[in-house]
Amino acid sequence: MTKKTSEKKKKPFIVRFLLSILIILLILILTVTGWFIYSALDKQNTAAVIPSDYTIYVRTDSAWDAVEPIIDLKATDMLLSDKSLSAVRPAILSFRQSHLRNNYFVKKALQRRLDITVYDNKTYLLVANMGFLSGITRLAPVILKFVDIKNLTYLQSGSDKFYMYQKGKQIFYIKIIKNLVIVTADENLFKLSTSFNNADNYTDTQLKALTENLKNPFKITCDGTRLLGMLASDSSNVYVKALSSAISMNEMSTVSFELTDTDINMKAYFPYEVNQNYTEHPLATLMKTESTVPSLLNKLPENVQYYTLINSFTLDQIRQAAFSVMPDSMNIESKWSTAQKASNAIFHTSIEDAFFSWTEDEISIFGLEGKAEPVIAIKISDEVQRQKIFDNLLSSIVLTSDNSLLVDSIRLPRIQVPNYIQSILEALGIVLPKPYYIVKDDYIYFSQSPENLVSVNNANQNNRRIGNNTNWKHVSAKMSPVSTVSLYYNLERSIPFFLKSQTTISNILKLYNIGRFDISSKNNSLTIQLSATVSESDYSIHVPGFPKAVENGTASQLCKSKAGKNPSVFFLAGNNSISTLDSAALTVTTKTFKDINWLIPASEKTIKSTNGELWACGKSGTIYLLTKELEIVKGFPIITDRISAKPVLYQDQLLFTTETNYLYYINSDGTEAYVETNFEGATQASPSVLDNYFAIYEKGFLGGIHLYKDGAELNNGEPFIPDGIGFGSPCLFKKAHNLYIAFITQDGLLYILDEQLQTVTNFPMRLEGLFYVTLTYADGYLFALSSTGSLTRISLDGSTLEVEIPYFKAKTGAVTAADYNNDSKQEIFVSGEGNTVYGFTSFMEMIEDLPVSGYNEPVFLDITGDKKNNMLILSIDNYLNAYKLN
């Protein structure tokens, strides 16, 4: 018998190794997948962490889809200029410029639900639902043990564990709970949120807002009663305060809007109930009156530039509502009674009969293009009664009628006060209006300009109605024709009440200069609509958030840090105060130092070695090196001899001359070196620097231009002595790798010297005028500015091109060369004694968006995050301006 044996063949080692790796990877994948599935299913109810007593609730199911389309808008720039958002502005600007905006995975990661609530005390709560990505956020306590995030602290209070992020005075409380990340800046609100028992306090309407599917990227709801109460507490408007007492809004109100750089459309819906004690109140009567389509709207001329139209209310109803909310201190009823007696005595007619007996429920005030005087239109309910009242009033000793004016075959009567009464009133400083009027199609129109009334009449006869107005049609396209109050505005002519404040929201709305605002009422609901657009004629080059007031006095010495990303901007603010603008957060910090006259940006090498970004110097010889936060760098201040002119940066050192004719070199570690010169005259102008060269003008009839290389004076210490005295510094430039020195005397003698201080061919040459400002070199040309505003471009072959700047003086000023638009060509910016800056290309063509307000030298940097430089410049009226230039 044969015994059969079978031996199992052993797999090779490499196969077993690869199988082991595969199994491990499979286990890891299944574990990670299971963890993310668990994270997606293990949810915390959003309602549990959001206190229900909010005033405003904003929700988006995808933060990316809601925010990304509006991140580049001017309205976003304006919003980010608000001081309360300075902490988040740098992050948003950084994201605006980042290539991550085009990254698929970043897009998916940010498609998270976001809930934001605002409360009565203006605190806010942000709740992010991370969904399956909470598999990452849940691991934050473990990850952050090995990763240090600046300003982030892990805290524990009893069994509660959370994070606190603090930057300056701003504190954020952060809690990660299952799929949610909770953030707020208010400690009490944070404690209430993390109690996790808020869901029981919600009404069905509030819960619906948290759970229903969204049709738009945003959903905004608000507690109308709370919102009205908050507005009333912040407002001095007696009507808002009265309205908050008269009505309750028991249902949630909703707001929807669309926003682009050219258009904004908003619609708000507020259901209300009149409070029991106010059912007969005149204000309640107005509220309950349902809106209709105003008849007058179809009769307004095509060239209307603005209007206010009240529909559905009679003049008497408006009077009663106004009187009902007037404070007792105004004693309005007594004044009305006195006016009644006077009317009866003079006109033998009560005020009610004089104004209310013939008028109906429409009144409008509007303005026409190119016309200063407005027009008032009132609907007539009884023309016979109106004629009777007018005959009665105009037959009195106080009022008369003048029917003599005939314009375009139209006779225009005029209501006026007799001359003998007018002379008495004028002596008392009282000027009464003397309006013309015309009756047309059941309306009476009043205006002090007869041309306005003729225009109204002709427009109606020739069917040139407002419906043909392009701007009005654009802003009315999404508006309901029904309204109780309607405002059409152009900010060139009129500013509606809701834009008169300086809040961030009103400043955003002012970006859209033509708009329509309507209020309507129906079925115990108020509807507010706003549609506005940007007119090209109202294009603004101001960066949102500017100008910024300089509060400590005269501003000067604007300069930009040489730090790479988001460089700070520094300037003097009054006596011995230095201000720094954080170009990312747009916050201004100011500190006071002793004896400061000049600011000079430190070199990149100094910034890296000491964190010092700014040299600050005083005439007495005090030298500071300061950080971005205006902290003094170790080793400073130091004291030197008295300084004769503004110091400059030379090879990472601070270079200056003293009144004792020494050259000083100050290092970033606080050490100094100085060299005695052979100067005989004063040095009142700063040294000029180019690479390892610098030149100094020794002022005086025996003074001259000294040239240095690597700290040593060239040409055996012999200066070039020009024929005349100059006021500026020499101008160093290179052409074809050769060094040249240009200098102009006060009386216009222009020299160009080579490195041996010898004049070159075609020079010196004479320019007309007196010159006090240093020459500037750009794009192969020299630019000279005369005291009377002549800007001359000089070629090295001696040819010139001149531009006269009107109404411009320049005994002081600056000519600055800068490639502000990154086109590899330098532009020329010119300022003088006034508060105006002009700009030219090197071909002497004016830059489109200039002149603007400002003086002295501008600086250029991107503060809007769109990778385009903005121009920052100080103005004589003590503002820091920032402009967007094309």
Side-chain angles (χ1 to χ4, degrees), residues 429-469:
I430 300 172
V431 179
L432 292 179
K434 295 178 282 186
Y436 296 91
Y437 67 92
I438 185 173
V439 176
K440 187 78 176 175
D441 297 333
D442 297 328
Y443 289 87
I444 185 168
Y445 301 86
F446 297 93
S447 180
Q448 295 205 81
S449 166
E451 293 85 355
N452 283 351
L453 300 182
V454 172
S455 181
V456 169
N457 182 71
N458 290 342
N460 276 277
Q461 285 185 340
N462 299 316
N463 202 30
R464 295 197 302 269
R465 310 288 173 81
I466 195 171
N468 299 322
N469 183 311

Short mmCIF file of all heavy atoms in Angstrom, two decimals, residues 429-469:
data_model
loop_
_atom_site.label_atom_id
_atom_site.label_comp_id
_atom_site.label_asym_id
_atom_site.label_seq_id
_atom_site.Cartn_x
_atom_site.Cartn_y
_atom_site.Cartn_z
N GLY A 429 -35.70 138.73 8.06
CA GLY A 429 -34.95 137.55 7.64
C GLY A 429 -35.82 136.38 7.24
O GLY A 429 -35.36 135.24 7.19
N ILE A 430 -37.10 136.61 6.92
CA ILE A 430 -38.01 135.54 6.55
C ILE A 430 -38.31 135.64 5.05
O ILE A 430 -38.73 136.68 4.56
CB ILE A 430 -39.33 135.64 7.35
CG1 ILE A 430 -39.04 135.54 8.86
CG2 ILE A 430 -40.30 134.55 6.92
CD1 ILE A 430 -40.26 135.84 9.71
N VAL A 431 -38.07 134.53 4.34
CA VAL A 431 -38.36 134.48 2.91
C VAL A 431 -39.39 133.39 2.67
O VAL A 431 -39.13 132.21 2.93
CB VAL A 431 -37.09 134.22 2.08
CG1 VAL A 431 -37.44 134.14 0.60
CG2 VAL A 431 -36.05 135.30 2.33
N LEU A 432 -40.57 133.77 2.19
CA LEU A 432 -41.63 132.80 1.92
C LEU A 432 -41.54 132.35 0.47
O LEU A 432 -41.22 133.13 -0.43
CB LEU A 432 -43.01 133.42 2.18
CG LEU A 432 -43.35 133.74 3.64
CD1 LEU A 432 -44.74 134.37 3.70
CD2 LEU A 432 -43.31 132.49 4.49
N PRO A 433 -41.84 131.08 0.20
CA PRO A 433 -41.86 130.61 -1.18
C PRO A 433 -43.01 131.26 -1.95
O PRO A 433 -44.05 131.59 -1.39
CB PRO A 433 -42.08 129.09 -1.04
CG PRO A 433 -42.72 128.91 0.30
CD PRO A 433 -42.17 130.01 1.16
N LYS A 434 -42.76 131.44 -3.24
CA LYS A 434 -43.79 132.00 -4.12
C LYS A 434 -43.96 131.07 -5.31
O LYS A 434 -43.48 131.33 -6.41
CB LYS A 434 -43.38 133.41 -4.57
CG LYS A 434 -43.31 134.41 -3.42
CD LYS A 434 -42.87 135.78 -3.88
CE LYS A 434 -41.38 135.85 -4.11
NZ LYS A 434 -40.92 137.22 -4.43
N PRO A 435 -44.67 129.96 -5.09
CA PRO A 435 -44.70 128.92 -6.12
C PRO A 435 -45.66 129.23 -7.26
O PRO A 435 -46.71 129.85 -7.08
CB PRO A 435 -45.17 127.68 -5.34
CG PRO A 435 -46.04 128.25 -4.25
CD PRO A 435 -45.39 129.56 -3.86
N TYR A 436 -45.26 128.77 -8.45
CA TYR A 436 -46.19 128.69 -9.57
C TYR A 436 -46.94 127.36 -9.44
O TYR A 436 -46.50 126.44 -8.76
CB TYR A 436 -45.42 128.69 -10.90
CG TYR A 436 -44.67 129.98 -11.15
CD1 TYR A 436 -43.35 130.13 -10.72
CD2 TYR A 436 -45.28 131.03 -11.83
CE1 TYR A 436 -42.66 131.30 -10.96
CE2 TYR A 436 -44.59 132.22 -12.08
CZ TYR A 436 -43.29 132.35 -11.65
OH TYR A 436 -42.61 133.51 -11.88
N TYR A 437 -48.09 127.26 -10.12
CA TYR A 437 -48.81 125.99 -10.08
C TYR A 437 -49.56 125.77 -11.37
O TYR A 437 -49.84 126.71 -12.15
CB TYR A 437 -49.76 125.92 -8.87
CG TYR A 437 -50.93 126.88 -8.91
CD1 TYR A 437 -52.15 126.50 -9.45
CD2 TYR A 437 -50.81 128.17 -8.37
CE1 TYR A 437 -53.24 127.36 -9.47
CE2 TYR A 437 -51.88 129.04 -8.39
CZ TYR A 437 -53.10 128.64 -8.94
OH TYR A 437 -54.16 129.51 -8.95
N ILE A 438 -49.85 124.48 -11.60
CA ILE A 438 -50.62 124.11 -12.77
C ILE A 438 -51.49 122.91 -12.39
O ILE A 438 -51.06 122.05 -11.61
CB ILE A 438 -49.70 123.75 -13.96
CG1 ILE A 438 -50.52 123.48 -15.23
CG2 ILE A 438 -48.81 122.56 -13.64
CD1 ILE A 438 -49.64 123.29 -16.47
N VAL A 439 -52.73 122.89 -12.88
CA VAL A 439 -53.64 121.77 -12.63
C VAL A 439 -53.71 120.92 -13.90
O VAL A 439 -53.95 121.44 -14.99
CB VAL A 439 -55.05 122.26 -12.23
CG1 VAL A 439 -56.00 121.10 -12.08
CG2 VAL A 439 -54.97 123.08 -10.95
N LYS A 440 -53.50 119.61 -13.72
CA LYS A 440 -53.43 118.74 -14.88
C LYS A 440 -53.92 117.35 -14.49
O LYS A 440 -53.37 116.70 -13.59
CB LYS A 440 -51.99 118.65 -15.39
CG LYS A 440 -51.81 117.92 -16.70
CD LYS A 440 -52.20 118.80 -17.87
CE LYS A 440 -51.92 118.11 -19.19
NZ LYS A 440 -52.39 118.88 -20.34
N ASP A 441 -54.99 116.86 -15.14
CA ASP A 441 -55.46 115.47 -14.97
C ASP A 441 -55.64 115.09 -13.51
O ASP A 441 -55.07 114.11 -13.02
CB ASP A 441 -54.49 114.49 -15.64
CG ASP A 441 -54.40 114.70 -17.14
OD1 ASP A 441 -55.37 115.19 -17.73
OD2 ASP A 441 -53.33 114.39 -17.72
N ASP A 442 -56.42 115.90 -12.78
CA ASP A 442 -56.76 115.62 -11.38
C ASP A 442 -55.59 115.76 -10.41
O ASP A 442 -55.65 115.28 -9.27
CB ASP A 442 -57.36 114.21 -11.21
CG ASP A 442 -58.67 114.06 -11.97
OD1 ASP A 442 -59.40 115.07 -12.09
OD2 ASP A 442 -58.95 112.95 -12.45
N TYR A 443 -54.51 116.42 -10.84
CA TYR A 443 -53.38 116.68 -9.95
C TYR A 443 -53.01 118.16 -10.05
O TYR A 443 -53.16 118.79 -11.12
CB TYR A 443 -52.15 115.84 -10.32
CG TYR A 443 -52.32 114.37 -10.00
CD1 TYR A 443 -52.93 113.51 -10.91
CD2 TYR A 443 -51.90 113.86 -8.77
CE1 TYR A 443 -53.10 112.16 -10.62
CE2 TYR A 443 -52.07 112.51 -8.47
CZ TYR A 443 -52.67 111.67 -9.40
OH TYR A 443 -52.85 110.34 -9.10
N ILE A 444 -52.53 118.71 -8.93
CA ILE A 444 -52.02 120.06 -8.95
C ILE A 444 -50.53 119.98 -8.67
O ILE A 444 -50.07 119.24 -7.78
CB ILE A 444 -52.73 120.96 -7.92
CG1 ILE A 444 -52.22 122.41 -8.05
CG2 ILE A 444 -52.60 120.45 -6.49
CD1 ILE A 444 -53.06 123.42 -7.29
N TYR A 445 -49.74 120.71 -9.46
CA TYR A 445 -48.29 120.69 -9.34
C TYR A 445 -47.82 122.08 -8.92
O TYR A 445 -48.23 123.09 -9.52
CB TYR A 445 -47.64 120.32 -10.67
CG TYR A 445 -48.05 118.97 -11.20
CD1 TYR A 445 -49.21 118.82 -11.97
CD2 TYR A 445 -47.29 117.83 -10.95
CE1 TYR A 445 -49.60 117.59 -12.47
CE2 TYR A 445 -47.67 116.59 -11.45
CZ TYR A 445 -48.83 116.47 -12.21
OH TYR A 445 -49.21 115.24 -12.70
N PHE A 446 -46.93 122.14 -7.91
CA PHE A 446 -46.36 123.39 -7.44
C PHE A 446 -44.84 123.37 -7.65
O PHE A 446 -44.19 122.35 -7.42
CB PHE A 446 -46.61 123.60 -5.94
CG PHE A 446 -48.05 123.72 -5.55
CD1 PHE A 446 -48.78 122.60 -5.16
CD2 PHE A 446 -48.70 124.95 -5.56
CE1 PHE A 446 -50.10 122.71 -4.78
CE2 PHE A 446 -50.02 125.07 -5.20
CZ PHE A 446 -50.73 123.94 -4.80
N SER A 447 -44.27 124.50 -8.04
CA SER A 447 -42.81 124.63 -8.11
C SER A 447 -42.45 126.10 -8.19
O SER A 447 -43.19 126.90 -8.77
CB SER A 447 -42.24 123.89 -9.32
OG SER A 447 -40.83 124.04 -9.35
N GLN A 448 -41.30 126.45 -7.63
CA GLN A 448 -40.82 127.84 -7.75
C GLN A 448 -40.17 128.07 -9.10
O GLN A 448 -39.85 129.20 -9.43
CB GLN A 448 -39.85 128.16 -6.62
CG GLN A 448 -40.52 128.13 -5.25
CD GLN A 448 -39.80 129.00 -4.24
OE1 GLN A 448 -39.97 130.21 -4.20
NE2 GLN A 448 -38.98 128.37 -3.42
N SER A 449 -39.97 126.99 -9.86
CA SER A 449 -39.42 127.12 -11.21
C SER A 449 -40.53 126.88 -12.22
O SER A 449 -41.04 125.77 -12.33
CB SER A 449 -38.30 126.10 -11.42
OG SER A 449 -37.97 126.00 -12.79
N PRO A 450 -40.94 127.89 -12.99
CA PRO A 450 -42.00 127.68 -13.98
C PRO A 450 -41.60 126.68 -15.07
O PRO A 450 -42.43 125.98 -15.62
CB PRO A 450 -42.23 129.08 -14.57
CG PRO A 450 -40.96 129.83 -14.27
CD PRO A 450 -40.44 129.28 -12.99
N GLU A 451 -40.27 126.62 -15.36
CA GLU A 451 -39.80 125.67 -16.38
C GLU A 451 -40.13 124.22 -15.98
O GLU A 451 -40.40 123.37 -16.83
CB GLU A 451 -38.30 125.81 -16.61
CG GLU A 451 -37.87 127.13 -17.24
CD GLU A 451 -37.68 128.22 -16.20
OE1 GLU A 451 -37.98 127.97 -15.01
OE2 GLU A 451 -37.27 129.32 -16.59
N ASN A 452 -40.07 123.93 -14.67
CA ASN A 452 -40.41 122.59 -14.20
C ASN A 452 -41.84 122.22 -14.56
O ASN A 452 -42.13 121.11 -15.00
CB ASN A 452 -40.22 122.50 -12.68
CG ASN A 452 -38.77 122.38 -12.28
OD1 ASN A 452 -37.90 122.20 -13.12
ND2 ASN A 452 -38.50 122.51 -11.00
N LEU A 453 -42.76 123.16 -14.35
CA LEU A 453 -44.17 122.90 -14.62
C LEU A 453 -44.43 122.74 -16.11
O LEU A 453 -45.24 121.90 -16.52
CB LEU A 453 -45.03 124.01 -14.03
CG LEU A 453 -44.90 124.22 -12.51
CD1 LEU A 453 -45.85 125.31 -12.04
CD2 LEU A 453 -45.18 122.91 -11.77
N VAL A 454 -43.73 123.52 -16.92
CA VAL A 454 -43.85 123.37 -18.37
C VAL A 454 -43.33 122.00 -18.79
O VAL A 454 -43.93 121.30 -19.63
CB VAL A 454 -43.08 124.49 -19.09
CG1 VAL A 454 -43.04 124.22 -20.60
CG2 VAL A 454 -43.72 125.84 -18.81
N SER A 455 -42.23 121.57 -18.18
CA SER A 455 -41.67 120.25 -18.49
C SER A 455 -42.64 119.14 -18.12
O SER A 455 -42.80 118.17 -18.87
CB SER A 455 -40.34 120.07 -17.74
OG SER A 455 -39.76 118.83 -18.03
N VAL A 456 -43.30 119.27 -16.97
CA VAL A 456 -44.29 118.27 -16.55
C VAL A 456 -45.45 118.23 -17.54
O VAL A 456 -45.90 117.15 -17.95
CB VAL A 456 -44.81 118.59 -15.13
CG1 VAL A 456 -46.02 117.73 -14.80
CG2 VAL A 456 -43.71 118.39 -14.10
N ASN A 457 -45.93 119.39 -17.93
CA ASN A 457 -47.06 119.46 -18.86
C ASN A 457 -46.70 118.86 -20.22
O ASN A 457 -47.44 118.05 -20.78
CB ASN A 457 -47.49 120.92 -19.03
CG ASN A 457 -48.70 121.06 -19.94
OD1 ASN A 457 -49.81 120.68 -19.58
ND2 ASN A 457 -48.46 121.59 -21.13
N ASN A 458 -45.52 119.23 -20.75
CA ASN A 458 -45.11 118.74 -22.07
C ASN A 458 -44.88 117.23 -22.05
O ASN A 458 -45.18 116.53 -23.02
CB ASN A 458 -43.84 119.45 -22.53
CG ASN A 458 -44.10 120.90 -22.86
OD1 ASN A 458 -45.25 121.30 -23.08
ND2 ASN A 458 -43.05 121.71 -22.90
N ALA A 459 -44.31 116.73 -20.96
CA ALA A 459 -44.05 115.30 -20.86
C ALA A 459 -45.34 114.50 -20.91
O ALA A 459 -45.42 113.44 -21.54
CB ALA A 459 -43.29 114.99 -19.58
N ASN A 460 -46.39 115.01 -20.25
CA ASN A 460 -47.67 114.31 -20.26
C ASN A 460 -48.34 114.39 -21.63
O ASN A 460 -48.95 113.43 -22.09
CB ASN A 460 -48.59 114.90 -19.19
CG ASN A 460 -48.35 114.28 -17.82
OD1 ASN A 460 -48.86 113.22 -17.49
ND2 ASN A 460 -47.52 114.95 -17.01
N GLN A 461 -48.21 115.53 -22.28
CA GLN A 461 -48.83 115.69 -23.60
C GLN A 461 -48.14 114.82 -24.65
O GLN A 461 -48.78 114.29 -25.56
CB GLN A 461 -48.77 117.15 -24.03
CG GLN A 461 -49.78 118.03 -23.31
CD GLN A 461 -49.77 119.45 -23.84
OE1 GLN A 461 -48.80 119.88 -24.47
NE2 GLN A 461 -50.85 120.18 -23.61
N ASN A 462 -46.79 114.67 -24.52
CA ASN A 462 -46.01 113.95 -25.53
C ASN A 462 -45.69 112.52 -25.11
O ASN A 462 -44.85 111.86 -25.74
CB ASN A 462 -44.71 114.70 -25.82
CG ASN A 462 -44.98 116.10 -26.36
OD1 ASN A 462 -45.84 116.28 -27.21
ND2 ASN A 462 -44.25 117.08 -25.85
N ASN A 463 -46.33 112.07 -24.01
CA ASN A 463 -46.17 110.69 -23.53
C ASN A 463 -44.71 110.35 -23.19
O ASN A 463 -44.25 109.23 -23.38
CB ASN A 463 -46.70 109.70 -24.57
CG ASN A 463 -47.06 108.37 -23.93
OD1 ASN A 463 -47.45 108.31 -22.76
ND2 ASN A 463 -46.92 107.29 -24.68
N ARG A 464 -43.98 111.34 -22.69
CA ARG A 464 -42.61 111.09 -22.22
C ARG A 464 -42.67 110.86 -20.71
O ARG A 464 -42.36 111.72 -19.90
CB ARG A 464 -41.69 112.26 -22.57
CG ARG A 464 -41.51 112.46 -24.07
CD ARG A 464 -40.29 113.33 -24.37
NE ARG A 464 -40.40 114.63 -23.74
CZ ARG A 464 -40.94 115.71 -24.29
NH1 ARG A 464 -41.45 115.62 -25.52
NH2 ARG A 464 -40.99 116.86 -23.66
N ARG A 465 -43.12 109.67 -20.36
CA ARG A 465 -43.37 109.33 -18.96
C ARG A 465 -42.16 108.64 -18.34
O ARG A 465 -41.23 108.22 -19.02
CB ARG A 465 -44.59 108.43 -18.84
CG ARG A 465 -45.82 108.95 -19.59
CD ARG A 465 -46.44 110.15 -18.91
NE ARG A 465 -47.50 110.77 -19.68
CZ ARG A 465 -48.76 110.34 -19.73
NH1 ARG A 465 -49.10 109.25 -19.07
NH2 ARG A 465 -49.67 110.98 -20.44
N ILE A 466 -42.22 108.45 -17.03
CA ILE A 466 -41.10 107.86 -16.29
C ILE A 466 -40.81 106.43 -16.73
O ILE A 466 -39.70 105.94 -16.60
CB ILE A 466 -41.38 107.92 -14.77
CG1 ILE A 466 -40.09 107.65 -13.99
CG2 ILE A 466 -42.48 106.93 -14.38
CD1 ILE A 466 -40.19 107.90 -12.50
N GLY A 467 -41.81 105.77 -17.32
CA GLY A 467 -41.59 104.41 -17.81
C GLY A 467 -40.54 104.33 -18.89
O GLY A 467 -40.02 103.25 -19.19
N ASN A 468 -40.20 105.47 -19.51
CA ASN A 468 -39.17 105.51 -20.54
C ASN A 468 -37.78 105.80 -19.96
O ASN A 468 -36.79 105.80 -20.70
CB ASN A 468 -39.49 106.57 -21.59
CG ASN A 468 -40.81 106.29 -22.29
OD1 ASN A 468 -41.14 105.14 -22.57
ND2 ASN A 468 -41.57 107.34 -22.57
N ASN A 469 -37.72 106.09 -18.66
CA ASN A 469 -36.46 106.42 -18.01
C ASN A 469 -35.65 105.13 -17.80
O ASN A 469 -36.07 104.22 -17.08
CB ASN A 469 -36.75 107.10 -16.67
CG ASN A 469 -35.49 107.56 -15.95
OD1 ASN A 469 -34.54 106.82 -15.80
ND2 ASN A 469 -35.53 108.80 -15.48
#
